[in-house]
Amino acid sequence: MYPLSDLLNLDLSDTKKIIAEYIWIGGSGMDIRSKSRTLPGSVSDPSKLPKWNYDGSSTDQAAGDDSEVILYPQAIFKDPFRKGNNILVMCDAYTPAGDPIPTNNRHKAVKIFDHPDVKSEEPWFGIEQEYTLLKKDVKWPLGWPLGGFPGPQGPYYCAIGAEKSFGRDIVDAHYKACLYAGLSIGGANAEVMPGQWEFQISPTVGIGAGDQLWVARYILERITEISGVIVSFDPKPVEGDWNGAAAHTNFSTKSMRKEGGLDLIKKAISKLEVKHKQHIAAYGEGNERRLTGKHETADINSFSWGVANRGASVRVGRDTEKEGKGYFEDRRPSSNMDPYLVTSMIAETTILG
């Protein structure tokens, strides 16, 4: 009998056919769903891919007596699991009549990014996605004593060593898989809380940042599934004197990247301050447990900014201050935020006002 691994690694190149994994976001806003279909040959343009339906009543996105939801392919990436010409397809969801379903934040974001004033500014987003690895059966962070706690924070950030770094094989597998897929992953590191890690999506224009982060999350969930580990995007996975998990969002426009851009950055930050409550409401569920004013966060009820200040709502880097141009970091989004919502809100508030 062939080992299962032999069958999983079968070379299908002679068949000319490929497998496309259609990916979408379920009704909770954080549950990533996917299913596979066979296509007659290679495809590189999402508009050439067929639309497909799914049972929306099983994802809390449609009623049982009218459950059909239609997937529209939007972005294609190489499949690091099946390899070859097989692909991952990021989709969004519509009714059979062609209307975006209420949870389709991508469609709303595209409207903002397609605005002429936004497009002309070429908005760049770099997202720092933090997450926590949990033991499957007990849902307790990887490397922590069962039912107990490790030593206090301090030794774990960017650490090496069996007593300080937990889950590096998953992190490295994810890093390489994202590069293979064609994602603009910029790096990865161990975070302040043991068992917690971060990867970064490097500056990507407009809607592409959301597409890439969702696909990177999908790849991470698949890898942890294979490893028998749970990945948590909870913004405060362990209560007490432990860091929470964020999705810090770095942002710049073409004008901010030019000489004199720092003045525009300050104006943009002022606009964010005016809309602080609206942004907080959209920056992730449970974020109030993280944004306490402790553990490198600002208090959720107040807005602040500063140069090199990781305790502020918005941080401006030393290099940006020195060069008089660059970008700023919105430190308020939580690890479970929807990047379509967060990136489009930042662009709308700072560019369209």
Side-chain angles (χ1 to χ4, degrees), residues 5 11 22 24 44-45 52-53 63 66 71 77 84 110 129 137 161 168 187 198 206 211 217 272 314 330 332:
S5 60
D11 183 2
Y22 279 46
W24 73 96
S44 58
D45 181 352
W52 203 9
N53 69 75
D66 187 14
L71 293 171
F77 303 90
V110 167
Q129 176 69 70
D137 296 328
R168 189 183 297 279
E198 173 189 297
D211 288 339
R217 284 173 172 175
L272 289 174
V314 172
D330 192 337
R332 297 171 297 171

Side-chain angles (χ1 to χ4, degrees), residues 59-289:
T59 62
D60 291 326
Q61 292 172 301
D65 59 355
D66 187 14
S67 65
E68 193 165 286
V69 180
I70 313 300
L71 293 171
Y72 285 31
Q74 300 292 359
I76 292 175
F77 303 90
K78 292 172 63 179
D79 187 339
F81 303 101
R82 296 187 175 110
K83 305 184 182 71
N85 291 322
N86 302 301
I87 55 175
L88 305 177
V89 184
M90 191 66 211
C91 305
D92 60 353
Y94 296 79
T95 67
D99 299 316
I101 64 172
T103 56
N104 186 346
N105 289 327
R106 188 187 192 280
H107 178 81
K108 301 167 192 172
V110 167
K111 284 186 173 182
I112 294 169
F113 288 123
D114 279 349
H115 190 288
D117 293 346
V118 177
K119 288 185 78 170
S120 66
E121 282 290 353
E122 296 178 11
W124 289 3
F125 297 93
I127 304 175
E128 305 168 29
Q129 176 69 70
E130 296 176 347
Y131 60 92
T132 308
L133 297 174
L134 306 177
K135 300 170 188 176
K136 183 179 177 182
D137 296 328
V138 295
K139 296 185 179 178
W140 197 235
L142 214 61
W144 290 39
L146 189 61
F149 298 89
Q153 294 183 152
Y156 310 106
Y157 174 69
C158 294
I160 58 170
E163 78 284 17
K164 300 186 291 292
S165 178
F166 314 110
R168 189 183 297 279
D169 53 345
I170 291 172
V171 175
D172 280 355
H174 177 252
Y175 199 153
K176 290 183 177 180
C178 286
L179 286 173
Y180 179 93
L183 300 177
S184 297
I185 185 168
N189 60 268
E191 267 302 331
V192 177
M193 190 182 88
Q196 196 171 84
W197 293 82
E198 173 189 297
F199 67 87
Q200 303 95 33
I201 294 297
S202 293
T204 305
V205 179
I207 198 68
D211 288 339
Q212 292 210 21
L213 187 67
W214 275 116
V215 171
R217 284 173 172 175
Y218 168 83
I219 292 172
L220 181 58
E221 291 225 43
R222 284 285 306 276
I223 290 171
T224 53
E225 172 191 324
I226 293 166
S227 303
V229 171
I230 295 172
V231 57
S232 170
F233 295 104
D234 190 295
K236 188 72 174 179
V238 181
E239 295 298 325
D241 195 18
W242 306 99
N243 273 36
H248 302 142
T249 303
N250 300 278
F251 173 70
S252 71
T253 63
K254 183 191 293 185
S255 299
M256 292 175 188
R257 297 188 291 269
K258 293 179 179 178
E259 293 301 323
L262 183 57
D263 289 337
L264 295 174
I265 288 172
K266 291 177 180 179
K267 289 178 182 177
I269 292 172
S270 296
K271 293 178 181 179
L272 289 174
E273 181 174 11
V274 172
K275 295 288 185 73
H276 177 64
K277 288 185 178 180
Q278 292 94 321
H279 280 252
I280 286 295
Y283 273 17
E285 186 177 349
N287 209 10
E288 71 282 351
R289 294 183 283 115

